Amino acid sequence: MEFARPRGTRDFLFDEMRQRKKAESTLRKIFESYGYQEIKTPLFEELKLFTTKSGEEIVDQLYNFKDKSDRELTLRPEITAPVARLYLNELEKTAVKPIKLYYYGSCFRYERPQKGRFRQFWQFGCELIGAKTPQGEAEVIALCTDSINALGITTADVNINHLGIIRGLFSHFNISDETQREIMVVIDKGDKDLLIESLSGDNPVIDNDELNQILLKLIDLVGDKSILNDVEELIAPYDESKAALEELKELIDLLEDFDVENYTLNLGVARGLDYYTGIVFEIYVPELGAQKQICGGGSYSLVKVFGGQEVESTGFALGFDRLMNAIEELTEVEELGSHLDIYVIPITEDVRSEAYKITQLLRRNGIKADVDLNNKKFRKLMNYADKIKVEKIALMGPKELEDGKITIKDMVSGNQELIDIENIVEYVKGE
């Protein structure tokens, strides 16, 4: 009988897991240096948490089910909504703002698997709740760029926009919520031809040529802060968009204070979900091709959607799997050393009991140690130590043990030294 992995999932073996754990550890250090604390939410939530956020149409993309009490549940497709639910349940009335939290975990979507896109995937992200705008966004973008830089990804392109500019135009021209949603989804796809067809085809989504022409010009504005003059000129007749532009200008000034230099203003970044309200950003790594987006984030009003009090919230989620693809693509593959600090080798069977005791002593002092459990011969144990690239081995013979000694061999230099067993922990630690 043969069992295969479920479609759209992966197995990770030892070396790959070590690389992933290394990246995870790097991200944790950066996030915590900004004052963020880790939280965990359940792998499954009530289905209505996500349909309330994204509409009933999302059900086709979910792993949803009924439990034995007939409750509608689903494996989480992302973690922002669970964080908003956690905030309402646990933090809204008691926590001092701003609240800085981060998360790392797996998510599930029932989609067609393809390169860089799986049915089980991992997100590493954060939420900043209750910080002022645009200071909060500036710090969040700085955190995001510092995290990516710390992983050695040097070609990441941070694209920033303010949705209030487009939403202000929609307000000026009295565009319905449903039509706004439809257009924002098209803009979010980044398909210029599709947008042109939607706005200027035989049956345009918006029956207003003035607005259609402004939108087509607006989303073409991509560059450094010099394009802000073009944006200002374009929206000059429309007061509803001007406050958002001023906020975007203030953000750009703040990014300099937070030492963020490499970014692109891109008026075509939309984040096509209704709850995104202000500054938004996406990060691309061109070398990843069609799946180049490794991060998305911005300011949102999700807590209010769930029935809570309005609170300024900003966050982002890094696609951890795509981060790993980018690391592999852009950085030199680091040759991994051994997973052990030392390997204990009993030379004869009569010292095996002591070998186990010494191995436990090392482990309980924070040293990664292992010992033979299969009664292998000395030569095979030496071959194994060489194969796993361990730098130190402890050779235990009966004569040395009688004298309270043990031989430590450096497998790199070939040097070996006889030391007192009572000093082995300090010796291995280099103290």
Side-chain angles (χ1 to χ4, degrees):
M1 184 179 295
E2 186 174 324
F3 297 98
R5 290 194 314 267
R7 190 164 183 251
T9 64
R10 290 158 293 165
D11 295 317
F12 301 110
L13 291 178
F14 310 122
D15 284 355
E16 191 167 5
M17 276 307 303
R18 289 172 68 192
Q19 297 285 12
R20 290 173 74 91
K21 293 292 284 186
K22 180 181 176 183
E24 177 189 340
S25 176
T26 298
L27 292 175
R28 287 184 192 280
K29 287 178 182 177
I30 300 297
F31 278 58
E32 290 172 10
S33 75
Y34 275 74
Y36 284 75
Q37 300 182 81
E38 187 175 13
I39 55 97
K40 286 283 186 188
T41 66
L43 279 176
F44 59 91
E45 298 269 2
E46 290 187 343
L47 177 63
K48 65 182 179 182
L49 182 71
F50 298 101
T51 55
T52 298
K53 165 182 168 281
S54 302
E56 292 292 335
E57 59 271 17
I58 196 178
V59 173
D60 288 341
Q61 302 172 34
L62 301 181
Y63 278 93
N64 59 300
F65 55 94
K66 289 186 177 182
D67 68 7
K68 293 180 180 180
S69 296
D70 217 32
R71 289 176 285 242
E72 288 273 9
L73 303 172
T74 184
L75 298 180
R76 63 188 184 194
E78 48 87 16
I79 306 182
T80 300
V83 168
R85 192 262 313 144
L86 176 148
Y87 168 78
L88 285 169
N89 292 166
E90 311 289 347
L91 299 173
E92 184 178 31
K93 296 179 181 178
T94 59
V96 177
K97 296 181 180 65
I99 302 167
K100 293 182 170 185
L101 54 87
Y102 78 91
Y103 55 81
Y104 172 61
S106 56
C107 303
F108 305 84
R109 285 182 185 258
Y110 193 81
E111 296 180 317
R112 182 175 65 85
Q114 52 187 298
K115 184 178 181 182
R117 202 172 189 89
F118 299 93
R119 289 179 173 177
Q120 182 184 13
F121 55 96
W122 277 258
Q123 287 187 346
F124 204 118
C126 71
E127 309 298 339
L128 174 61
I129 302 172
K132 294 295 183 183
T133 296
Q135 297 95 307
E137 288 92 341
E139 187 185 83
V140 163
I141 292 171
L143 166 60
C144 192
T145 56
D146 280 356
S147 299
I148 292 170
N149 289 337
L151 295 172
I153 301 171
T154 57
T155 62
D157 183 17
V158 185
N159 286 247
I160 303 170
N161 189 18
H162 195 309
L163 293 184
I165 296 171
I166 291 179
R167 294 201 187 279
L169 293 170
F170 287 152
S171 175
H172 180 87
F173 289 96
N174 296 312
I175 304 302
S176 70
D177 291 344
E178 182 179 350
T179 301
Q180 287 188 41
R181 189 177 302 115
E182 188 174 347
I183 287 299
M184 293 300 277
V185 168
V186 174
I187 294 174
D188 187 45
K189 289 180 183 296
D191 188 332
K192 181 72 178 296
D193 292 336
L194 178 61
L195 182 63
I196 292 172
E197 177 64 26
S198 299
L199 295 178
S200 58
D202 293 335
N203 296 296
V205 175
I206 297 175
D207 188 19
N208 187 305
D209 189 58
E210 181 182 354
L211 174 57
N212 291 342
Q213 293 306 311
I214 295 168
L215 290 176
L216 289 173
K217 291 177 182 177
L218 196 64
I219 67 161
D220 262 350
L221 292 176
V222 179
D224 59 24
K225 62 182 180 181
S226 65
I227 71 167
L228 291 172
N229 294 328
D230 299 322
V231 178
E232 189 166 24
E233 183 178 335
L234 192 59
I235 66 168
Y238 314 108
D239 291 342
E240 295 87 343
S241 295
K242 291 180 179 177
L245 177 58
E246 291 307 308
E247 209 169 83
L248 183 58
K249 289 179 179 179
E250 188 177 352
L251 171 73
I252 298 309
D253 291 337
L254 284 165
L255 288 179
E256 294 183 10
D257 295 337
F258 280 93
D259 197 27
V260 177
E261 297 178 350
N262 298 320
Y263 62 84
T264 300
L265 294 181
N266 183 345
L267 278 293
V269 172
R271 309 296 297 156
L273 295 169
D274 290 346
Y275 58 84
Y276 280 104
T277 55
I279 289 165
V280 292
F281 61 95
E282 294 179 346
I283 300 182
Y284 312 127
V285 175
E287 289 83 356
L288 296 183
Q291 304 298 335
K292 66 180 181 178
Q293 185 178 330
I294 61 170
C295 178
S299 293
Y300 60 87
S301 183
L302 192 53
V303 171
K304 186 178 180 181
V305 172
F306 290 158
Q309 295 295 314
E310 182 73 72
V311 59
E312 293 166 312
S313 305
T314 302
F316 65 84
L318 291 158
F320 191 78
D321 305 278
R322 292 189 189 174
L323 278 181
M324 297 309 300
N325 291 343
I327 291 171
E328 184 179 352
E329 190 75 30
L330 296 171
T331 64
E332 289 188 18
V333 178
E334 181 182 353
E335 186 174 347
L336 296 173
S338 178
H339 62 291
L340 298 177
D341 296 320
I342 190 167
Y343 186 60
V344 179
I345 296 179
I347 295 175
T348 58
E349 284 301 307
D350 55 339
V351 301
R352 188 168 288 277
S353 176
E354 287 301 314
Y356 296 153
K357 292 176 183 178
I358 288 174
T359 303
Q360 289 301 93
L361 173 68
L362 293 166
R363 289 167 171 169
R364 288 170 181 170
N365 282 276
I367 294 168
K368 293 180 284 186
D370 206 357
V371 64
D372 172 51
L373 301 174
N374 287 342
N375 299 335
K376 291 180 179 178
K377 299 296 184 183
F378 176 73
R379 179 175 292 179
K380 286 189 175 181
L381 294 178
M382 290 297 292
N383 288 340
Y384 176 74
D386 189 55
K387 185 175 181 180
I388 63 172
K389 301 176 184 177
V390 66
E391 291 189 4
K392 288 185 175 67
I393 59 173
L395 298 169
M396 299 184 58
K399 185 177 183 305
E400 290 88 345
L401 281 180
E402 285 180 14
D403 298 331
K405 305 283 188 180
I406 191 169
T407 299
I408 305 296
K409 180 174 181 178
D410 187 313
M411 296 291 282
V412 178
S413 67
N415 296 330
Q416 58 187 48
E417 189 173 350
L418 195 64
I419 68 165
D420 293 331
I421 289 177
E422 63 183 24
N423 296 329
I424 188 171
V425 171
E426 290 77 10
Y427 183 91
V428 175
K429 286 186 173 181
E431 297 174 356

